[in-house]
Amino acid sequence: VTVEPAARKASDGRAAGAVEDLGNYIDGSFRQPRNGRFLDDLNPATGEVIARLPDSDAADVAAAVEAAQRAFPGFAATTAQERSRLLLDVARGIEERAEHLAMLEARDTGKPLALARRLDIPRAIANFRFFAGAALHAASECHPTDSAALNYTLRRPLGVVALISPWNLPIYLLTWKVAPALATGNTCVAKPSELTPLTAGALAEICHDAGVPPGVFNLVHGLGPRAGAALTVHPDVRAISFTGGTATGAAIMGAAGPLFKKVSLELGGKNPNVLFDDADLETALDVSVQSAFMNQGQICLSGSRVFAERRIYDQVVEGLVARATRLKIGDPLDPATEFGSLISRDHAAKVSGYLTLAGAEGGKIECGGARPSGLASHLAGGAFLDPAVVTGLAPASRVMQEEIFGPVVTVTPFADEEEAIALANGTRFGLSATVWTNDLRRAHRVAARLEAGTVWVNTWLLRDLRVPFGGTKMSGIGREGGRDSLEFFTEPQNICIKL
Ligand code: NAD
């Protein structure tokens, strides 16, 4: 069943040429928010309003949860084969619209179109294909109690799950939650970031066209403290999978704790990138500049704190500055652009504020931090900022301790392995870390002592979807990926049979 394009949007009949109104997707149809209120969605590279999204509240959330609750028994009873096929159909729908989705993502986030084509959209497809396969391979455990009894574990879907995602990798991270939730037979209510609603809306259309039954995938747009908060405390939501900032994670944990909801929190990072002097320096620098500045430095896994062994420290600073200043900054929609706009002018101002603070804390800005010169006139209202390399800061400085989530990398020298580990671990975050060395024994030794959910050695952002992904310390609770996602979205039940 396909709906006519006109019915896909919750248009209020405004004149042609007006920006599109997105709808919530509830119980298989696109709807206006009950309160009739909308928020502007901006293209951060130009400042233009490109759509309006529902400013949903608890009433819309309740309608979505109710629809998901109604759909749950039927969907939970589908076979793994059926769910797998459905996920493959969604993957195909994304693939068929890949170029359109890449364009939406670039306009909504300010990220380079080339990056959306290369990273975000392929990963969304891969997420659905991966969990389509996982649905077929799921197995459970059996614990024979000698000859007295046989225990086996059933894994049941939870029911209605809430999926809350951030703006930096909108469809990439939303599909990372939707695919395993559906693969295991749950129904869901997704709440994407209010800053980047476009690809989530397109995903609802794709699910609809793929034949995902009404109520199985629901989408509620709106602000975190209103729509998001209402979702997290709804009594019929059994679990919350959240990716976003650490402060928001704390608020969600606080709200969901007394209600005993299962939570998975994927939060912020301040990730160390440690370069030993035996590393292959050219490769390390090529990857480190990506790690610091890909997606304008707005990746939870960004290597925002570089530590360089003293002998190569000057080369590392020079190498990073040379590479950062060569990045092609400009219109995200130009396929040659390597570095686009930040998510908003407010966020760019926050990042600039950290550079001012870096100066006050005794740091030296080796490059970047200003508005790029020579931008085309239609980008005059955009949230652009040159990538910045900062040196000379104390490890305890705020700039080296707080997540900036923008194009700012600090570089700090270290004397030996012990000091490198202490510096790397010297933050309250623990999401990821990277180590560059050609000494095999050192690689293993250091990796095991780093307080991070993921440690990359001689690489960065190389992801295998089967591995446990998540953070330690203030970077979160729980793991997603492969079996961890299947376990998160199911409830184990022990059955004990007396023999
Ligand atoms: P955010 O925490 O502001 O928002 C994330 C989502 O939560 C949005 O959909 C928002 O509307 C919603 N939200 C906000 N307040 C809420 C509340 N009280 N209750 C329920 N929902 C609420 O984060 P952001 O600014 O969109 O994203 C940037 C942050 O995300 C960074 O800290 C980054 O490190 C983190 N992040 C983490 C990972 C990871 O896998 N660990 C991945 C990407 C981004």
Side-chain angles (χ1 to χ4, degrees), residues 164-169 173 191-195 222-230 232 242-249 251-252 265-269 298-301 403 405 431 469-471 475:
I164 303 178
S165 51
W167 48 258
N168 65 326
L169 299 165
L173 288 171
K191 211 304 280 172
S193 170
E194 57 273 29
L195 299 177
L223 299 171
R226 201 180 347 260
T232 56
F242 169 78
T243 299
T246 293
T248 313
I252 290 177
L265 303 173
E266 301 286 345
L267 310 177
Q298 303 164 133
I299 299 187
C300 53
L301 303 164
E403 184 186 43
F405 213 59
L431 191 56
F469 177 84
S475 291

Side-chain angles (χ1 to χ4, degrees), residues 245-265:
T246 293
T248 313
I252 290 177
M253 186 98 180
L259 300 168
F260 304 107
K261 293 177 192 295
K262 209 170 174 183
V263 291
S264 168
L265 303 173

Side-chain angles (χ1 to χ4, degrees), residues 49 81 84 90 94 135 194 201 205 212 231 271 279 288 314 362 373 379 388 465:
V49 177
Q81 287 277 359
S84 176
V90 174
I94 299 173
E194 57 273 29
E205 293 182 13
V212 173
L231 185 56
N271 310 298
S288 295
D314 290 341
S373 53
L379 305 176
L465 303 188

Side-chain angles (χ1 to χ4, degrees), residues 148-449:
L150 191 63
N151 285 278
Y152 61 89
T153 308
L154 291 183
R155 287 210 155 257
R156 305 181 174 287
L158 300 171
V160 181
V161 296
L163 312 176
I164 303 178
S165 51
W167 48 258
N168 65 326
L169 299 165
I171 196 171
Y172 172 131
L173 288 171
L174 181 60
T175 54
W176 181 233
K177 300 179 184 303
V178 175
L182 300 192
T184 42
N186 300 282
T187 57
C188 67
V189 179
K191 211 304 280 172
S193 170
E194 57 273 29
L195 299 177
T196 54
L198 295 184
T199 49
L203 180 67
E205 293 182 13
I206 290 167
C207 286
H208 189 100
D209 293 350
V212 173
V216 169
F217 172 80
N218 304 277
L219 174 67
V220 176
H221 289 288
L223 299 171
R226 201 180 347 260
L231 185 56
T232 56
V233 297
H234 193 292
D236 292 333
V237 166
R238 297 287 312 282
I240 302 162
S241 170
F242 169 78
T243 299
T246 293
T248 313
I252 290 177
M253 186 98 180
L259 300 168
F260 304 107
K261 293 177 192 295
K262 209 170 174 183
V263 291
S264 168
L265 303 173
E266 301 286 345
L267 310 177
K270 187 77 176 174
N271 310 298
N273 179 13
V274 181
L275 283 74
F276 286 99
D277 68 5
D278 62 62
D280 175 350
L281 197 54
E282 288 303 303
T283 308
L285 288 168
D286 288 345
V287 177
S288 295
V289 83
Q290 291 296 317
S291 162
F293 300 129
M294 184 190 278
N295 210 38
Q296 298 71 248
Q298 303 164 133
I299 299 187
C300 53
L301 303 164
S302 294
S304 52
R305 292 182 301 141
V306 167
F307 297 104
E309 195 157 4
R310 201 171 293 282
R311 196 178 65 79
I312 57 167
Y313 173 77
D314 290 341
Q315 279 168 279
V316 169
V317 174
E318 276 163 34
L320 285 175
V321 168
R323 285 164 177 78
T325 46
R326 272 203 305 268
L327 287 172
K328 192 170 178 322
I329 303 177
D331 189 341
L333 301 187
D334 176 345
T337 294
E338 296 169 315
F339 186 99
S341 160
L342 274 64
I343 188 64
S344 66
R345 290 174 66 141
D346 282 354
H347 188 55
K350 180 187 144 195
V351 175
S352 291
Y354 272 106
L355 289 166
T356 308
L357 178 63
E361 291 187 317
K364 178 176 174 213
I365 299 179
E366 303 279 349
C367 71
R371 196 182 154 76
S373 53
L375 288 174
S377 59
H378 70 289
L379 305 176
F384 289 88
L385 204 58
D386 275 326
V389 177
V390 183
T391 57
L393 285 168
S397 62
R398 279 184 56 201
V399 172
M400 283 193 66
Q401 288 296 324
E402 296 175 14
E403 184 186 43
I404 299 174
F405 213 59
V408 178
V409 67
T410 60
V411 194
T412 309
F414 67 84
D416 58 18
E417 205 174 292
E418 279 307 310
E419 191 186 10
I421 292 168
L423 286 167
N425 288 341
T427 123
R428 59 195 190 111
F429 294 104
L431 191 56
S432 70
T434 299
V435 180
W436 296 91
T437 179
N438 278 319
D439 178 335
L440 184 62
R441 282 179 293 183
R442 169 147 72 192
H444 289 290
R445 200 165 56 224
V446 173
R449 289 183 60 197

Side-chain angles (χ1 to χ4, degrees), residues 444-468:
H444 289 290
R445 200 165 56 224
V446 173
R449 289 183 60 197
L450 291 175
E451 296 164 356
T454 298
V455 178
W456 280 293
V457 176
N458 297 334
T459 185
W460 173 74
L461 205 62
L462 199 165
R463 294 275 294 114
D464 182 318
L465 303 188
R466 293 170 299 177
V467 305

